[in-house]
C-alpha cells in the first residue's frame, strides 16, 4: 500500500512526459491527461481508505531511513486534501478541454506537473521536499498563468512570479535556519527536536515560516498579488489556482505550525486571520467584475482557515481542515460558473450584465448553490464549516475572532448578492453583447464546460450531504495534528 | 538576414571555425560528466548544462540555420527525459525495491570488460535529456526573433517599418 504514495506523485509526471512526447496530437494528449488523473483519483481514494483504517502511512524514498531519507507521509489531513484536490483538478481538466484552452501543446504537460506538485506537497514528510514540490507546482503555475501571453497576462504574471520567487528565496533561507537550529528537516523528527532549542529561536523560526507561507497563501498583509494576477488567466487556470494553490499554502502553514507546536503564535495568527477575513471581503465588495470579486473572496476565506489553526484546539483544527475540504471545490466551481457567464456573454463586468436567470438558468443554479455555501447559509457545506469554526472559537472563549468571523460572513453574503443581482437578476442589459459573425448575440458554451461545472456543483453538494462523516474524519485528523506522536511513530518507525 | 546568423553582422570565420572545433569536444565532455557523476562531481544536470552550452555556441555562430537545435524537437526531448527518470523510480518499485532505490549492475561484457553502473544512471540520463531539451527550448524561443529580424516583437517601432 505504501507504494501508492510515491506513485501518486510520479504518475502525473509520467503523464506529463507522455503528453510532451505526443505534443503534436491534442486528442492523445487529452486521453493521456484524463486517464492519468482518473488513476490519480483512484489512488487518492485508496490512500484515504488505507489511512482511515490503519492510521498514518509512511514510506521512505530510495529506502534511506528517516530522518536521512525523504519521507512521504499520508495522514488523514493530507489524504483528505489529496482526494478533494485531485477530484477538483480532474473536473477542471474537463472544463479546460471543453473550453479549448489546451490548444497550446504545453498546457496539459504543465497542468499535470502542477498536479504532481500539489500531490507531492501534501504527501511530503520533510520541509525541504515540501519546498521542492511547492516549487514544482509554482513553476508549472508560472507557465499556466501566462499561457495566452497577452500583455495584461504578462504584466500581472510578472508580479506573480516576482512575489512568489521572493517568497521562495525566503523559504530556502528558513529551511537553512531550521536545519541549522535543529539538525533535521523531517517533520516527525522536527516535532521531537524542536522543543529543545531556545525559546526565542523557536519563535523566530515559527514567525519566519508563517510570513513565508503567508505570502504563498495570500494572508494579510501580503495578499495583494492574488487579486491582481488571478483574474487575468484563462478561466480553467484561475479556477484551479483559486481552488488549490493558496490551499496548499494553508496546508503548509498548518503542517509546519502543528509539527513545531508553537501555541504561543496562536494569538498572532488569530489577529492576522481576523484582518484577512475583513480586508478580503471589503475588497470584494468594492469590485465590479465577477472574477475580481471572487479573487478577493479567496483572500477572505483563507482567514477562516488560519483562524482554525490559531485556536490550536482539536475543534479549531478540525474546523480548519473541514473548511479547506469544502473550499477547494467550492471556490473552484464559483470561478467555473463565472467563466460560463463570460463564455456566454463575452464579459464579466457586473454593470454590463443582467437577467441571466432567465437566459441561462443552469449557469445561475451553478453559481447560486456554491455562493450560498460560501456565504455560510444552511444546509450547505460552508455552513457546517463556519459553524464548526465558530463553535471552536466559542469553546476557547475567543469572542473577538468569532465576532469578526460572523461579521465577515455577512459581508460575504453582501458581495455574493452583488454578483447575483448584477448578473442574474433584473432585465438583460440595454446594450446586448456584440453579435458574432453568425449574427448570434448569445453564445452557448460547450456542453463539456457546463457538464464539468455541474459535476463540481455535485461535488460541493456531496460534501454537504456527507458533512457528518467528513467532519468526523477532519476531527480525527485534528487529533493527530495536535498530538503528532502517531505521525512521528509512523515516519521514524519507533 | 539571409545567413541565419542572430544579432546581425557578418559571419565571423574565426568564431565559426573555433566553435566547429569546440562543439564535439564540449559534447563529449558533457557525456563524460554525465557518467562520472555517480562518484565524482558531475551528473545529469551539470552534463546537460554543458551540452546546452554547446548548443548555445552553435546558435551564436550560425543561428538555427546551422542546425544548432536537436532535430528531435525539444518538447519530445524533455518528455523522453522525464519519462526515463520517472520510470526508473517506478521500475525500482516494480522490482520489489523502494521507490527510486538504487541498484547495482555489474557484469562482464565482451570488448568492454567489466561494466558496472547503478540505478541512478538511467535517472541521470533522464535529467540530462530534460536539461538539454529545456536549454534548446530557451535558445529557440529567445532567439526566434533575433534569427529572423533585428527588431524585437514588443518594440513599438516594429510597425513603422523598423526592420531592415
Amino acid at each position: 500500500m505504501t507504494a501508492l504514495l510515491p506513485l501518486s506523485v510520479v504518475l502525473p509526471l509520467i503523464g506529463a512526459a507522455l503528453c510532451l512526447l505526443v505534443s503534436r496530437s491534442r486528442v492523445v494528449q487529452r486521453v493521456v491527461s484524463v486517464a492519468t488523473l482518473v488513476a490519480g483519483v483512484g489512488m487518492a481514494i485508496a490512500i484515504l481508505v488505507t489511512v482511515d483504517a490503519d492510521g498514518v502511512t509512511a514510506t521512505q524514498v530510495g529506502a534511506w531511513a528517516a530522518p536521512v531519507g525523504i519521507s512521504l507521509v499520508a495522514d488523514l489531513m493530507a489524504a483528505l486534501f489529496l482526494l478533494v484536490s485531485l477530484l477538483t483538478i480532474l473536473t477542471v481538466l474537463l472544463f479546460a478541454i471543453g473550453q479549448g484552452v489546451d490548444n497550446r501543446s504545453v498546457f496539459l504537460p504543465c497542468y499535470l506537473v502542477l498536479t504532481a506538485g500539489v500531490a507531492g506537497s501534501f504527501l511530503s514528510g520533510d520541509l525541504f521536499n515540501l519546498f521542492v514540490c511547492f516549487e514544482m507546482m509554482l513553476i508549472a503555475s508560472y507557465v499556466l498563468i501566462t499561457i495566452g501571453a497577452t500583455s495584461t497576462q504578462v504584466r500581472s504574471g510578472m508580479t506573480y512570479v516576482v512575489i512568489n520567487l521572493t517568497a521562495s528565496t525566503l523559504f530556502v533561507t528558513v529551511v537553512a535556519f531550521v536545519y541549522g537550529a535543529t539538525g533535521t528537516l523531517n517533520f516527525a523528527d522536527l516535532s521531537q527536536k524542536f522543543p529543545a532549542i531556545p525559546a526565542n529561536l523557536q519563535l523566530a523560526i515559527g514567525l519566519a515560516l508563517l510570513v513565508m507561507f503567508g505570502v504563498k497563501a495570500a494572508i494579510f498583509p501580503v495578499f495583494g498579488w492574488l487579486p491582481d494576477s488571478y483574474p487575468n488567466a484563462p478561466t480553467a487556470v484561475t479556477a484551479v489556482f483559486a481552488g488549490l494553490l493558496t490551499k496548499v499554502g494553508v496546508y503548509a502553514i498548518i503542517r509546519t505550525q502543528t509539527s513545531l507546536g508553537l501555541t504561543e503564535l496562536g494569538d498572532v495568527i488569530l489577529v492576522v486571520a481576523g484582518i484577512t477575513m475583513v480586508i478580503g471581503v471589503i475588497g470584494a465588495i468594492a469590485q465590479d467584475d465577477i472574477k475580481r470579486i471572487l479573487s478577493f473572496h479567496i483572500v477572505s476565506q483563507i482567514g477562516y482557515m488560519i483562524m482554525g489553526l490559531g485556536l490550536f484546539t482539536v475543534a479549531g483544527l478540525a474546523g480548519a481542515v473541514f473548511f479547506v475540504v469544502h473550499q477547494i471545490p467550492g471556490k473552484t466551481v464559483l470561478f467555473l460558473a463565472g467563466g460560463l457567464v463570460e463564455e456566454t456573454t463575452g464579459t464579466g463586468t457586473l454593470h454590463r450584465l443582467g437577467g441571466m436567470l432567465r437566459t441561462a438558468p443552469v449557469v445561475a443554479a451553478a453559481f447560486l448553490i456554491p455562493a450560498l455555501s460560501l456565504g455560510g447559509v444552511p444546509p450547505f457545506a460552508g455552513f457546517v464549516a463556519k459553524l464548526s469554526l465558530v463553535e471552536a472559537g466559542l469553546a476557547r472563549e475567543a469572542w473577538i475572532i468569532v465576532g469578526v468571523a460572523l461579521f465577515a460572513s455577512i459581508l460575504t453574503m453582501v458581495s455574493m448578492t452583488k454578483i447575483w443581482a448584477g448578473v442574474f437578476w433584473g432585465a438583460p442589459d440595454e446594450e446586448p453583447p456584440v453579435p458574432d459573425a453568425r449574427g448570434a448575440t448569445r453564445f452557448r458554451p460547450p456542453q463539456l464546460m457546463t457538464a464539468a461545472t455541474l459535476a463540481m456543483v455535485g461535488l460541493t453538494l456531496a460534501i454537504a450531504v456527507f458533512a457528518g462523516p467528513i467532519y468526523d474524519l477532519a476531527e480525527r485528523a485534528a487529533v493527530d495534528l495536535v498530538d503528532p506522536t502517531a505521525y512521528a511513530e509512523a515516519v521514524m518507525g519507533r | 538576414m539571409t545567413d541565419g546568423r542572430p544579432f546581425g553582422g557578418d559571419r565571423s570565420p574565426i568564431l565559426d571555425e573555433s566553435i566547429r572545433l569546440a562543439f564535439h569536444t564540449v559534447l563529449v565532455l558533457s557525456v563524460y560528466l554525465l557518467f562520472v557523476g555517480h562518484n565524482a562531481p558531475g551528473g545529469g544536470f551539470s552534463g546537460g548544462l554543458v551540452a546546452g552550452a554547446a548548443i548555445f555556441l552553435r546558435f551564436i555562430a550560425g543561428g538555427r540555420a546551422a542546425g544548432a537545435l536537436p532535430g528531435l524537437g525539444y518538447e519530445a526531448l524533455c518528455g523522453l527525459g522525464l519519462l526515463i527518470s520517472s520510470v526508473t523510480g517506478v521500475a525500482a518499485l516494480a522490482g520489489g525495491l523502494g521507490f527510486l532505490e538504487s541498484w547495482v549492475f555489474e557484469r562482464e561484457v565482451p570488448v568492454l570488460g567489466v561494466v558496472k553502473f547503478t540505478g541512478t544512471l538511467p535517472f541521470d540520463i533522464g535529467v540530462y535529456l530534460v536539461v538539454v531539451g529545456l536549454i534548446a527550448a530557451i535558445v529557440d524561443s529567445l532567439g526566434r526573433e533575433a534569427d529572423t529580424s533585428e527588431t524585437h516583437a514588443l518594440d513599438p517601432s516594429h510597425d513603422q517599418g523598423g526592420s531592415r
Side-chain angles (χ1 to χ4, degrees):
Chain A
M1 267 335 263
T2 52
L4 283 175
L5 302 182
L7 275 181
S8 55
V9 182
V10 83
L11 186 75
L13 285 179
I14 293 180
L18 292 175
C19 275
L20 279 171
L21 280 174
V22 296
S23 62
R24 298 236 165 81
S25 163
R26 206 172 353 147
V27 179
V28 184
Q29 272 199 333
R30 286 174 170 178
V31 170
V32 169
S33 321
V34 174
T36 306
L37 288 179
V38 168
V41 168
M43 291 196 296
I45 293 174
I47 290 175
L48 182 61
V49 170
T50 314
V51 175
D52 186 35
D54 308 343
V56 183
T57 308
T59 183
Q60 316 296 339
V61 173
W64 291 93
V68 178
I70 294 170
S71 308
L72 290 178
V73 193
D75 63 350
L76 267 178
M77 174 169 74
L80 260 177
F81 288 1
L82 183 68
L83 177 57
V84 180
S85 302
L86 280 172
L87 281 171
T88 305
I89 291 175
L90 175 62
T91 320
V92 176
L93 175 70
L94 297 177
F95 186 93
I97 289 175
Q99 198 184 17
V101 285
D102 57 341
N103 55 0
R104 284 171 188 263
S105 62
V106 79
F107 179 85
L108 290 173
C110 280
Y111 195 80
L112 289 172
V113 171
L114 181 101
T115 311
V118 170
S121 301
F122 286 146
L123 296 177
S124 171
D126 77 23
L127 195 56
F128 188 75
N129 200 29
L130 176 66
F131 167 75
V132 173
C133 294
F134 220 107
E135 284 307 294
M136 183 152 74
M137 174 180 93
L138 284 176
I139 286 174
S141 82
Y142 299 155
V143 180
L144 291 177
I145 206 164
T146 51
I147 193 101
T150 63
S151 55
T152 344
Q153 273 185 322
V154 173
R155 188 206 56 77
S156 62
M158 278 303 286
T159 321
Y160 178 78
V161 171
V162 169
I163 298 268
N164 274 298
L165 281 183
T166 314
S168 299
T169 314
L170 194 58
F171 196 160
V172 193
T173 317
V174 179
V175 167
F177 284 164
V178 174
Y179 190 74
T182 62
T184 184
L185 292 173
N186 191 297
F187 289 132
D189 203 22
L190 204 55
S191 66
Q192 294 168 343
K193 289 187 178 158
F194 194 72
I197 69 172
N200 288 347
L201 199 54
Q202 289 191 13
L203 271 184
I205 287 177
L207 272 176
L209 279 170
L210 186 64
V211 170
M212 182 270 300
F213 285 125
V215 179
K216 311 249 182 203
I219 62 177
F220 177 84
V222 278
F223 63 89
W225 56 270
L226 190 150
D228 180 51
S229 54
Y230 276 20
N232 296 320
T235 302
V237 174
T238 317
V240 83
F241 282 18
L244 290 171
L245 297 202
T246 48
K247 310 309 177 283
V248 179
V250 170
Y251 167 84
I253 294 180
I254 298 180
R255 170 69 70 215
T256 49
Q257 298 295 335
T258 52
S259 63
L260 300 186
L262 279 177
T263 42
E264 300 96 308
L265 280 178
D267 290 339
V268 180
I269 296 178
L270 283 184
V271 170
V272 171
I275 303 177
T276 309
M277 286 175 204
V278 176
I279 296 274
V281 79
I282 288 178
I285 290 179
Q287 298 297 315
D288 188 42
D289 178 277
I290 301 178
K291 277 184 175 177
R292 287 191 187 280
I293 294 181
L294 293 176
S295 295
F296 272 100
H297 271 154
I298 301 176
V299 176
S300 174
Q301 305 292 317
I302 298 290
Y304 287 93
M305 302 165 200
I306 305 296
M307 168 189 165
L309 170 68
L311 294 171
F312 270 115
T313 59
V314 169
L317 282 165
V321 169
F322 188 86
F323 204 97
V324 175
V325 167
H326 107 276
Q327 190 71 190
I328 291 174
K331 197 81 241 180
T332 308
V333 71
L334 281 171
F335 273 96
L336 294 185
L340 283 181
V341 170
E342 283 188 3
E343 189 81 11
T344 316
T345 62
T347 178
T349 314
L350 294 187
H351 69 262
R352 292 182 54 197
L353 289 163
M356 280 190 72
L357 185 57
R358 260 177 296 147
T359 53
V362 177
V363 180
F367 179 82
L368 181 64
I369 293 170
L372 288 177
S373 171
L374 195 75
V377 173
F380 298 109
F383 171 71
V384 183
K386 282 183 179 162
L387 182 69
S388 55
L389 281 176
V390 166
E391 274 190 347
L394 291 179
R396 266 260 338 247
E397 303 188 340
W399 312 117
I400 301 177
I401 190 71
V402 170
V404 172
L406 292 174
F407 177 63
S409 193
I410 295 169
L411 290 185
T412 310
M413 269 325 280
V414 171
S415 58
M416 281 302 170
T417 316
K418 191 177 165 183
I419 298 185
W420 181 253
V423 177
F424 299 104
W425 265 353
D429 205 78
E430 306 88 59
E431 288 176 63
V434 189
D436 69 354
R438 293 160 299 175
T441 51
R442 205 159 62 80
F443 317 113
R444 182 174 287 279
Q447 302 264 319
L448 190 56
M449 285 170 77
T450 318
T453 314
L454 291 180
M456 207 69 165
V457 174
L459 182 58
T460 57
L461 285 178
I463 291 177
V465 170
F466 296 105
I470 295 175
Y471 185 77
D472 186 47
L473 281 178
E475 201 162 26
R476 283 167 47 210
V479 171
D480 278 352
L481 287 172
V482 171
D483 175 21
T485 328
Y487 187 93
E489 270 174 10
V491 178
M492 309 294 288
R494 272 182 247 146
Chain B
M1 197 67 49
T2 47
D3 60 359
R5 184 168 182 272
F7 317 126
D10 298 324
R11 293 184 75 134
S12 150
I14 299 176
L15 188 67
D16 278 8
E17 285 309 312
S18 35
I19 286 175
R20 187 169 300 163
L21 275 177
F23 184 71
H24 299 98
T25 321
V26 176
L27 278 187
V28 170
L29 175 70
S30 82
V31 175
Y32 168 76
L33 282 174
L34 165 65
F35 282 99
V36 84
H38 186 66
N39 288 322
F45 187 73
S46 40
L49 282 181
V50 170
I55 292 176
F56 205 86
L57 279 178
R58 268 290 265 274
F59 182 77
I60 294 282
R64 281 194 291 181
L69 302 176
L72 185 57
Y74 43 79
E75 281 187 348
L77 215 52
C78 285
L80 189 64
L82 187 56
L83 192 66
I84 293 174
S85 289
S86 325
V87 168
T88 309
V90 179
L93 206 58
L97 300 170
F99 178 70
L100 276 176
E101 187 173 347
S102 192
W103 36 264
V104 180
F105 173 92
E106 188 167 9
R107 194 169 293 173
E108 183 87 32
V109 175
V111 186
L112 290 176
V114 179
V115 171
K116 177 185 175 186
F117 64 90
T118 63
T120 47
L121 183 67
F123 183 84
D124 254 357
I125 292 176
V127 174
Y128 180 92
L129 291 177
V130 170
V131 174
V132 172
L134 207 60
I135 292 183
I138 291 171
V139 169
D140 184 52
S141 58
L142 287 183
R144 187 170 292 158
E145 278 300 313
D147 209 15
T148 50
S149 141
E150 266 188 289
T151 45
H152 200 266
L154 299 175
D155 187 357
S157 67
H158 185 67
D159 300 330
Q160 291 141 28
S163 62
R164 289 202 296 166

